């Protein structure tokens, strides 16, 4: 496992935008791993928000398609989640993840950052 540090969470109004960032430590061959974001709404299970592979192929959860954009900067070991047209149901703790080498499952999780969407 590696330590992933998220930032950018907070309170935002319905229809607003927010950007989350995740920084991974140096020396972990960041560019060779798929990265992604999960979230856990209150009282619900964790769900995939978005992932971005080493070739920058992206996958999005159905509920965020067309509203969220995931990107990565390998030189900075960072992955970013741009969230737009936020809805109340986007309220959750958001986690940055690193996937295992050639694996479909994460092997490292950040501590999580709270996003609250309110009217």
């Amino acid at each position: 496992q590696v330590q992933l540090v998220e930032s950018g969470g907070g309170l935002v109004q319905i229809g607003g935008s927010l950007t989350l960032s995740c920084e991974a430590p140096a020396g972990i061959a960041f560019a060779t791993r798929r990265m992604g974001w999960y979230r856990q709404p209150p009282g619900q299970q964790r769900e995939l928000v978005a992932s971005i592979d080493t070739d920058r192929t992206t996958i999005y959860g159905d509920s965020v398609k067309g509203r969220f954009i995931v990107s990565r900067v390998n030189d900075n070991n960072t992955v970013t989640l741009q969230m737009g047209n936020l809805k109340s149901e986007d309220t959750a703790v958001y986690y940055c993840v690193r996937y295992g080498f050639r694996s479909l499952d994460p092997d490292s999780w950040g501590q999580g950052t709270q996003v609250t969407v309110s009217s």
Side-chain angles (χ1 to χ4, degrees), residues 44-89:
Q44 300 182 40
Q45 293 185 340
R46 286 182 184 180
E47 61 182 9
L48 173 69
V49 177
S51 69
I52 181 165
D53 214 333
T54 56
D55 63 357
R56 289 180 167 73
T57 300
T58 55
I59 296 173
Y60 293 95
D62 288 341
S63 62
V64 307
K65 285 180 181 177
R67 300 189 297 121
F68 290 13
I69 299 174
V70 62
S71 59
R72 64 189 296 162
V73 179
N74 291 337
D75 288 348
N76 295 336
N77 280 19
T78 58
V79 58
T80 299
L81 184 69
Q82 297 172 270
M83 306 185 291
N85 190 20
L86 285 161
K87 306 176 181 180
S88 57
E89 51 263 42

